[in-house]
Amino acid sequence: RLIGLTAVDTFAAAAALWVLCPSGLEIEFLTLLPVFLLAFGAGLMSGAPGGVGPFEIALLALLPQTPEPQLLTAVLAWRASYYALPALLGAALALRGPKAEASIVTQLPADHNLLNQSTRAELGLVLQGQHRFLAAGPDIGLLVARSPHLIIALFDPAAPPQRQAITTCLNALKSSAKSMDCSFALYKTSARTAAIARTQGLHCMRIAKEAVLCPSQFRLVTPDRAGLRRKLRHASAAGVTITQPATVRDGSELTALAASWAQTHGGERGFSVGRFCPQYLSNQRVYIAWQNGDPIAFASFHIGSREWTLDLMRYGAGLPDGTMHLLVQAAINDAAQLAVPRLSLAAVPDFNSAPALLRKLTARMTDACAGNARFKKSFAPSWEPLYLIAPN
């Protein structure tokens, strides 16, 4: 496509120069075209602004029989129409400013119940302030992030799980990407969203698996949770206790833990997970682990009426074995008492069904997440696939 557009552009530029040749300068277009391309290439390779100088010298050298005054007159007229006029039009557009992204709202109305009613608690990431909602209709939309060349929808749409609502969100994402002159993708979506996207001609790839529990049916005394029971006993024997739950106000007791964790883990990640911020945590359910009266770790959960999702896990040095397991177990117990139907321990990479080359490229990332995967596996969850969706 790029080669084709370049051919059209250079052909049109040569035609413009040919049309602007004054009377008395008789030159065939098929003669001018290869000469123009060579002179144009000389100007590009010189690095001079607009190729001024090398372009003219090459043109005169390659057309030695052509009267120089008439040829340079044509070049001056061509530069005025091909460079100066578009520059003036571009300056006018620049002064007008960028087109407003009217379909993307930066803040939800105060009475908006989209987050609470959504089946995806992770949409609470919008409260971090890094991303925005793309509105697709009343009470439906997508959490979106921007990169220089993409608009990226994170997780499933904030919409009822009906096919029509998801289709509406996908169409809104396509339209928004087209209006912004960029491409689009959907990241960490469920199998249902991926199936609907596939019917629209989009391509899907399994990239992760999500650990999911039903709190009301969670039982510790099962063979596949023997390792979890051992971890919980270790934490209890070390004198670890959990506040259930903790409301974070100034966050002073957690800041040092978060700073210690960030220093040893290469900083806060962000994007599809939260970053430590007391105000952000004030919208979540936070559990703090204590030992000898001091906070030693904490875990936070996105909360909704239909789901809780694990977000931040932060801890300091010398953490007693089983502490993080005890934090999550406390959340599971509370979710069961509050009749929360679903609790997610979030996702880990899963490229087993991806092409061999991609598996090799992602092997280091998968290995780095092995400890996180073992931690979640100890709760014997159900694993649900998550997908990356793109136009090609």
Side-chain angles (χ1 to χ4, degrees):
R1 185 171 63 175
L2 180 60
I3 293 172
L5 292 173
T6 301
V8 171
D9 180 48
T10 52
F11 184 90
L17 177 60
W18 182 69
V19 168
L20 292 169
C21 288
S23 59
L25 185 61
E26 301 299 333
I27 181 171
E28 295 291 333
F29 179 70
L30 292 180
T31 301
L32 178 63
L33 179 59
V35 171
F36 174 86
L37 293 175
L38 289 170
F40 198 77
L44 287 174
M45 288 188 290
S46 71
V52 176
F55 174 81
E56 286 78 4
I57 292 172
L59 205 62
L60 292 170
L62 294 168
L63 296 170
Q65 305 302 322
T66 305
E68 292 184 7
Q70 288 91 332
L71 183 57
L72 291 177
T73 299
V75 170
L76 287 174
W78 175 75
R79 287 199 177 279
S81 61
Y82 191 73
Y83 286 102
L85 183 59
L88 291 174
L89 293 173
L93 291 173
L95 290 173
R96 190 183 71 176
K99 182 170 61 175
E101 296 176 2
S103 62
I104 296 186
V105 295
T106 56
Q107 185 176 0
L108 293 174
D111 59 347
H112 209 292
N113 63 357
L114 185 60
L115 292 180
N116 188 52
Q117 296 302 319
S118 173
T119 57
R120 198 72 179 177
E122 276 182 299
L123 293 173
L125 190 69
V126 71
L127 301 172
Q128 181 93 102
Q130 298 170 266
H131 311 315
R132 297 174 289 177
F133 266 115
L134 171 64
D139 289 339
I140 62 173
L142 290 159
L143 179 64
V144 295
R146 279 303 309 269
S147 76
H149 306 292
L150 285 173
I151 178 171
I152 306 161
L154 283 76
F155 318 125
D156 285 332
Q162 286 83 18
R163 182 187 188 90
Q164 184 56 47
I166 296 175
T167 300
T168 300
C169 289
L170 291 174
N171 291 336
L173 181 64
K174 293 177 183 177
S175 298
S176 183
K178 184 176 181 180
S179 68
M180 297 178 191
D181 196 25
C182 65
S183 189
F184 66 92
L186 295 97
Y187 179 63
K188 289 173 66 176
T189 70
S190 68
R192 179 175 178 79
T193 299
I196 295 173
R198 190 178 286 114
T199 64
Q200 296 191 9
L202 301 177
H203 295 260
C204 308
M205 180 186 296
R206 178 172 174 168
I207 59 166
K209 56 184 179 180
E210 182 179 16
V212 178
L213 300 166
C214 177
S216 62
Q217 298 178 6
F218 186 85
R219 300 292 183 269
L220 271 175
V221 187
T222 59
D224 51 1
R225 296 190 176 110
L228 174 61
R229 294 195 298 273
R230 183 173 63 255
K231 293 288 187 180
L232 297 179
R233 287 196 299 269
H234 290 174
S236 298
V240 177
T241 58
I242 309 295
T243 55
Q244 306 177 34
T247 300
V248 177
R249 299 192 183 279
D250 60 1
S252 57
E253 70 275 24
L254 306 183
T255 301
L257 287 174
S260 175
W261 183 93
Q263 185 175 7
T264 57
H265 288 79
E268 302 273 357
R269 287 173 173 78
F271 188 68
S272 64
V273 295
R275 293 189 175 108
F276 175 77
C277 172
Q279 185 177 1
Y280 172 65
L281 290 184
S282 67
N283 296 288
Q284 296 187 329
R285 198 172 182 97
V286 181
Y287 293 84
I288 304 177
W290 303 81
Q291 186 182 42
N292 300 324
D294 296 320
I296 57 173
F298 70 90
S300 74
F301 290 78
H302 295 292
I303 53 175
S305 60
R306 305 181 188 183
E307 181 186 61
W308 290 6
T309 301
L310 180 62
D311 188 19
L312 300 185
M313 292 196 300
R314 301 291 184 263
Y315 47 86
L319 187 72
D321 185 39
T323 299
M324 305 311 294
H325 298 78
L326 194 61
L327 282 167
V328 172
Q329 183 61 44
I332 294 172
N333 294 339
D334 280 359
Q337 292 180 5
L338 296 172
V340 177
R342 173 184 162 106
L343 187 141
S344 169
L345 301 181
V348 296
D350 180 18
F351 293 95
N352 290 333
S353 59
L357 178 60
L358 184 60
R359 290 201 303 271
K360 291 180 180 179
L361 291 173
T362 56
R364 184 175 179 181
M365 178 178 66
T366 304
D367 292 343
C369 295
N372 190 25
R374 286 194 300 271
F375 170 79
K376 295 173 182 180
K377 187 178 179 180
S378 68
F379 290 87
S382 299
W383 294 98
E384 298 182 358
L386 295 178
Y387 294 84
L388 176 67
I389 303 171
N392 57 50

